Amino acid sequence: MDPEPFKVQRAVQDAMATLSSSRNGVQISEMLGTIKCYLGGTENQVSLKEREEFTSVHFSAFLQGLVSNLSPEWIELLTSDQQKELWDSFFLEGPADQAFLVLLDTIISTGPGFRLKKVISILEQFLQTGGMSALMWAVCHQQAQAGLPMLQETLLNKVVCLPDHLCNKLQGNNQPIFFPQNYFPLLATEIIQVLQRISDSLRGGLDCSISFVSQVLGKVCMHGRQKEILNVLVPRLMDLTKVDCIWQRMCWRLVKCVPDRWMETVVCGFVQTAPGADVLSRLLGNLIVKNKKAQFVMTQKLLLLQYGYATAVLQTLIGYLALDNLRRSLLIKVLKELLETWGSSSAVKHSPVEQQLYISKAILICLAHLKEPEIENNRQELLTSLMGGMKCHLDSNLPRVRRLGMIVAESVSSRITTDEPSLKFQYEDDDETRELKSLLIHASPPQPPVIDLPNACENDNPSAMPKAVPKPSGNLPPAAAAVPEEGPDSELDSDDDLIPYDMSEDKELKKMKAPVYIRDCIEVLTGSEDMDKWEATMKVLESLVRRNPAATKEVSLELAKVLLHLEEKTYIEGFVELCQRALVAVTITDPIPVTQYLTSQFYSLNYSLRQRMDILDVLALAAQELAQPHAAGKNKPHSTQSPCIQSLPSSDGSQDWKRIVNERIKSKTRRFAKGQSLLEPACGPNKFSSVAGHFFFPLIQNFDSHHLWD
């Protein structure tokens, strides 16, 4: 009689031998039924110890044997019912983690054929019948009992990367269930099932680990699938945590157990997916207080280092900080850091306007959540940051940045000053302005007396500082000051007695001032919809380029690209000439890089013949202007005749005959050394000689390549 420890091993060996050699369907089905009893799927009972030995020691090898013997002839020895009950059931009812690894490894290592199709079909059933939840539940039990870390790491990689493995293997024959957009929502549903089983286990007083589920969530988010998994996971958790404290604690633990290397993607995903601050607070708890990585992500990275999130995400994040007393200290800290960044002159000069707008929104949202005691304790520090930041913004040459400074300064002033008048600016009211102001509506205190400031956006001096001025009662025309005050009967006088203004020399006032900086011109030409401003920019662009060579060289290539592809948005007299002259000016100012760009584009595709001729015209005109000598101080009149004093003609009519005689003599006399004063020829270095090669050789190198013109 076999010793007890070898009974299961001998049964498995006999089964493997029978499956490999027998072609008798009855014998094969009986052998499979005998082995299945170790899974508890038949009426024949075996001891618990034997079951554990089979599942932990022999199950994977037995599954590999089943797959290795799989062929069309062999599977036909079993009926369809026997295939489902005896062959498929080992993969669908046995230990899910081992079955999953065997199935996936077989798919990766097997070539096209019947075996591959059969294994893919079983894997598809495995996913549809809750195999993933069974797998994660088994690993959670192993973690609670100090399971094998290498096996858990392998399972984690296989579970998360399943769509990649199947896509690489099957390519065009891939099944829809393995697509990422279908697989990860399914995985989220399976995670909910695992969490439900963990909840039931905790209610029953049994210990269970949630770490593997957290690792799956973190790795999926790290692979860029936040949207697919969290769009399913967050709404379900939101409903389950409303009234159940165990689910709340499980959810907090789920995120807390995410490894630090994946914490950022998970936290960002929850912040973006949660529909409000209260939901985010319910899902994360005080994670930001307990986890330094999460605190860095939520207070630094999402607010100061990134700026691509919507306003609703900012409101959710900052509202989360304000909902709990333990987190409100971080709210004050965040506001101070935001104001410090907002008031940094370097940040104002070098950061994009979109990032400054993002920070401005965050500041206003923080202000809306502040309480009066918090304002009172930090009033002086906030006021200091306000004044420094306001000056940096008003010193900017960008109207949008100045306006952001005004709006934030108004808002901060209205919240932190109670006894003194708050600041008030005048600026254009548009959608952006209204959105910024709306962020303060629900927490705005009573408005104190205001100080009216002139519109700093329109002021030629951008560093103008606010000062108290009386509010004017109205604007009167200049002529109105000279009109004496009329009596009460003056309204009966006839309008015919009024003297009309002389309007013959009046000129049409332009609605927009022309830009004064090269970068402003580029911004107007590429994005502005204001046709008046666009026309004004075209008319002053050439002169700006010639007057500011240093500024032009910084953006010469960008400006050349804009001018080469510029289209006439509205009718401008001489538009083609204006555009050409501006491009010539850019080429002369920075000849080498601009010429290299123009010559490279001449043979490029997708250019019309007109554009190619424009490139040649610009190069020719620029070459001519560069070749002209420019010598200052040498273009003086030169004449061999000595200077003489000419007497004014007398008003006496008796002297007219002398003048007539002298003119006749002068007209008849030929003088070889006398005549119009000659100019000394200008001389100086030829600027074209050093750059001539850049004009010529790039154009001639493809001259005989006719296919470029086809």
Side-chain angles (χ1 to χ4, degrees), residues 206-221:
L206 301 177
D207 189 17
C208 190
S209 173
I210 201 174
S211 177
F212 184 74
V213 183
S214 300
Q215 293 176 16
V216 171
L217 176 62
K219 196 171 182 68
V220 169
C221 292

PDB file of all heavy atoms in Angstrom, residues 206-221:
ATOM      1  N   LEU A 206     -12.645  37.721  10.403  1.00  0.00           N
ATOM      2  CA  LEU A 206     -11.472  37.097   9.809  1.00  0.00           C
ATOM      3  C   LEU A 206     -10.541  38.161   9.247  1.00  0.00           C
ATOM      4  O   LEU A 206     -10.989  39.161   8.675  1.00  0.00           O
ATOM      5  CB  LEU A 206     -11.890  36.121   8.699  1.00  0.00           C
ATOM      6  CG  LEU A 206     -12.811  34.980   9.126  1.00  0.00           C
ATOM      7  CD1 LEU A 206     -13.195  34.131   7.915  1.00  0.00           C
ATOM      8  CD2 LEU A 206     -12.140  34.112  10.189  1.00  0.00           C
ATOM      9  N   ASP A 207      -9.242  37.945   9.366  1.00  0.00           N
ATOM     10  CA  ASP A 207      -8.260  38.889   8.856  1.00  0.00           C
ATOM     11  C   ASP A 207      -8.068  38.672   7.359  1.00  0.00           C
ATOM     12  O   ASP A 207      -8.138  37.543   6.861  1.00  0.00           O
ATOM     13  CB  ASP A 207      -6.935  38.708   9.595  1.00  0.00           C
ATOM     14  CG  ASP A 207      -5.955  39.818   9.262  1.00  0.00           C
ATOM     15  OD1 ASP A 207      -6.400  40.858   8.737  1.00  0.00           O
ATOM     16  OD2 ASP A 207      -4.748  39.642   9.521  1.00  0.00           O
ATOM     17  N   CYS A 208      -7.807  39.748   6.644  1.00  0.00           N
ATOM     18  CA  CYS A 208      -7.625  39.662   5.196  1.00  0.00           C
ATOM     19  C   CYS A 208      -6.808  40.867   4.741  1.00  0.00           C
ATOM     20  O   CYS A 208      -6.997  41.980   5.238  1.00  0.00           O
ATOM     21  CB  CYS A 208      -8.972  39.625   4.476  1.00  0.00           C
ATOM     22  SG  CYS A 208      -8.827  39.236   2.726  1.00  0.00           S
ATOM     23  N   SER A 209      -5.912  40.652   3.799  1.00  0.00           N
ATOM     24  CA  SER A 209      -5.057  41.727   3.292  1.00  0.00           C
ATOM     25  C   SER A 209      -5.657  42.315   2.023  1.00  0.00           C
ATOM     26  O   SER A 209      -6.231  41.605   1.190  1.00  0.00           O
ATOM     27  CB  SER A 209      -3.647  41.195   2.999  1.00  0.00           C
ATOM     28  OG  SER A 209      -2.863  42.185   2.372  1.00  0.00           O
ATOM     29  N   ILE A 210      -5.496  43.631   1.878  1.00  0.00           N
ATOM     30  CA  ILE A 210      -6.008  44.330   0.698  1.00  0.00           C
ATOM     31  C   ILE A 210      -4.864  44.848  -0.166  1.00  0.00           C
ATOM     32  O   ILE A 210      -5.082  45.516  -1.167  1.00  0.00           O
ATOM     33  CB  ILE A 210      -6.911  45.505   1.150  1.00  0.00           C
ATOM     34  CG1 ILE A 210      -7.854  45.938   0.028  1.00  0.00           C
ATOM     35  CG2 ILE A 210      -6.082  46.689   1.635  1.00  0.00           C
ATOM     36  CD1 ILE A 210      -8.861  46.978   0.465  1.00  0.00           C
ATOM     37  N   SER A 211      -3.636  44.496   0.219  1.00  0.00           N
ATOM     38  CA  SER A 211      -2.450  45.064  -0.417  1.00  0.00           C
ATOM     39  C   SER A 211      -2.366  44.732  -1.905  1.00  0.00           C
ATOM     40  O   SER A 211      -2.016  45.589  -2.718  1.00  0.00           O
ATOM     41  CB  SER A 211      -1.193  44.569   0.303  1.00  0.00           C
ATOM     42  OG  SER A 211      -0.040  45.053  -0.326  1.00  0.00           O
ATOM     43  N   PHE A 212      -2.688  43.474  -2.282  1.00  0.00           N
ATOM     44  CA  PHE A 212      -2.563  43.099  -3.695  1.00  0.00           C
ATOM     45  C   PHE A 212      -3.536  43.895  -4.565  1.00  0.00           C
ATOM     46  O   PHE A 212      -3.189  44.308  -5.679  1.00  0.00           O
ATOM     47  CB  PHE A 212      -2.809  41.598  -3.866  1.00  0.00           C
ATOM     48  CG  PHE A 212      -2.618  41.117  -5.272  1.00  0.00           C
ATOM     49  CD1 PHE A 212      -1.364  40.984  -5.810  1.00  0.00           C
ATOM     50  CD2 PHE A 212      -3.718  40.806  -6.073  1.00  0.00           C
ATOM     51  CE1 PHE A 212      -1.176  40.553  -7.119  1.00  0.00           C
ATOM     52  CE2 PHE A 212      -3.546  40.366  -7.374  1.00  0.00           C
ATOM     53  CZ  PHE A 212      -2.268  40.243  -7.900  1.00  0.00           C
ATOM     54  N   VAL A 213      -4.739  44.129  -4.078  1.00  0.00           N
ATOM     55  CA  VAL A 213      -5.706  44.922  -4.841  1.00  0.00           C
ATOM     56  C   VAL A 213      -5.175  46.346  -5.021  1.00  0.00           C
ATOM     57  O   VAL A 213      -5.316  46.948  -6.098  1.00  0.00           O
ATOM     58  CB  VAL A 213      -7.077  44.936  -4.137  1.00  0.00           C
ATOM     59  CG1 VAL A 213      -8.094  45.697  -4.966  1.00  0.00           C
ATOM     60  CG2 VAL A 213      -7.550  43.511  -3.892  1.00  0.00           C
ATOM     61  N   SER A 214      -4.548  46.899  -3.980  1.00  0.00           N
ATOM     62  CA  SER A 214      -3.958  48.244  -4.091  1.00  0.00           C
ATOM     63  C   SER A 214      -2.842  48.267  -5.126  1.00  0.00           C
ATOM     64  O   SER A 214      -2.707  49.225  -5.892  1.00  0.00           O
ATOM     65  CB  SER A 214      -3.416  48.682  -2.731  1.00  0.00           C
ATOM     66  OG  SER A 214      -4.431  48.731  -1.761  1.00  0.00           O
ATOM     67  N   GLN A 215      -2.036  47.196  -5.161  1.00  0.00           N
ATOM     68  CA  GLN A 215      -0.959  47.133  -6.143  1.00  0.00           C
ATOM     69  C   GLN A 215      -1.504  47.048  -7.567  1.00  0.00           C
ATOM     70  O   GLN A 215      -0.964  47.671  -8.488  1.00  0.00           O
ATOM     71  CB  GLN A 215      -0.064  45.937  -5.838  1.00  0.00           C
ATOM     72  CG  GLN A 215       0.707  46.063  -4.533  1.00  0.00           C
ATOM     73  CD  GLN A 215       1.500  44.806  -4.216  1.00  0.00           C
ATOM     74  OE1 GLN A 215       1.716  43.955  -5.075  1.00  0.00           O
ATOM     75  NE2 GLN A 215       1.917  44.683  -2.961  1.00  0.00           N
ATOM     76  N   VAL A 216      -2.570  46.263  -7.740  1.00  0.00           N
ATOM     77  CA  VAL A 216      -3.195  46.186  -9.072  1.00  0.00           C
ATOM     78  C   VAL A 216      -3.701  47.555  -9.498  1.00  0.00           C
ATOM     79  O   VAL A 216      -3.464  48.014 -10.632  1.00  0.00           O
ATOM     80  CB  VAL A 216      -4.347  45.163  -9.065  1.00  0.00           C
ATOM     81  CG1 VAL A 216      -5.142  45.238 -10.365  1.00  0.00           C
ATOM     82  CG2 VAL A 216      -3.800  43.758  -8.867  1.00  0.00           C
ATOM     83  N   LEU A 217      -4.389  48.246  -8.596  1.00  0.00           N
ATOM     84  CA  LEU A 217      -4.902  49.577  -8.909  1.00  0.00           C
ATOM     85  C   LEU A 217      -3.769  50.542  -9.256  1.00  0.00           C
ATOM     86  O   LEU A 217      -3.848  51.296 -10.240  1.00  0.00           O
ATOM     87  CB  LEU A 217      -5.707  50.106  -7.719  1.00  0.00           C
ATOM     88  CG  LEU A 217      -6.239  51.538  -7.834  1.00  0.00           C
ATOM     89  CD1 LEU A 217      -7.201  51.666  -9.001  1.00  0.00           C
ATOM     90  CD2 LEU A 217      -6.915  51.956  -6.533  1.00  0.00           C
ATOM     91  N   GLY A 218      -2.690  50.527  -8.442  1.00  0.00           N
ATOM     92  CA  GLY A 218      -1.580  51.436  -8.699  1.00  0.00           C
ATOM     93  C   GLY A 218      -0.884  51.161 -10.008  1.00  0.00           C
ATOM     94  O   GLY A 218      -0.563  52.087 -10.764  1.00  0.00           O
ATOM     95  N   LYS A 219      -0.650  49.886 -10.332  1.00  0.00           N
ATOM     96  CA  LYS A 219       0.064  49.554 -11.566  1.00  0.00           C
ATOM     97  C   LYS A 219      -0.784  49.855 -12.793  1.00  0.00           C
ATOM     98  O   LYS A 219      -0.258  50.302 -13.826  1.00  0.00           O
ATOM     99  CB  LYS A 219       0.480  48.082 -11.542  1.00  0.00           C
ATOM    100  CG  LYS A 219       1.544  47.729 -12.571  1.00  0.00           C
ATOM    101  CD  LYS A 219       2.072  46.338 -12.365  1.00  0.00           C
ATOM    102  CE  LYS A 219       3.178  46.009 -13.367  1.00  0.00           C
ATOM    103  NZ  LYS A 219       4.396  46.808 -13.124  1.00  0.00           N
ATOM    104  N   VAL A 220      -2.092  49.631 -12.700  1.00  0.00           N
ATOM    105  CA  VAL A 220      -2.974  49.972 -13.827  1.00  0.00           C
ATOM    106  C   VAL A 220      -2.935  51.476 -14.085  1.00  0.00           C
ATOM    107  O   VAL A 220      -2.827  51.922 -15.242  1.00  0.00           O
ATOM    108  CB  VAL A 220      -4.416  49.504 -13.538  1.00  0.00           C
ATOM    109  CG1 VAL A 220      -5.382  50.092 -14.564  1.00  0.00           C
ATOM    110  CG2 VAL A 220      -4.499  47.986 -13.567  1.00  0.00           C
ATOM    111  N   CYS A 221      -3.014  52.274 -13.029  1.00  0.00           N
ATOM    112  CA  CYS A 221      -2.964  53.729 -13.204  1.00  0.00           C
ATOM    113  C   CYS A 221      -1.609  54.169 -13.733  1.00  0.00           C
ATOM    114  O   CYS A 221      -1.517  55.090 -14.546  1.00  0.00           O
ATOM    115  CB  CYS A 221      -3.269  54.428 -11.878  1.00  0.00           C
ATOM    116  SG  CYS A 221      -4.973  54.238 -11.305  1.00  0.00           S
TER     117      CYS A 221
END
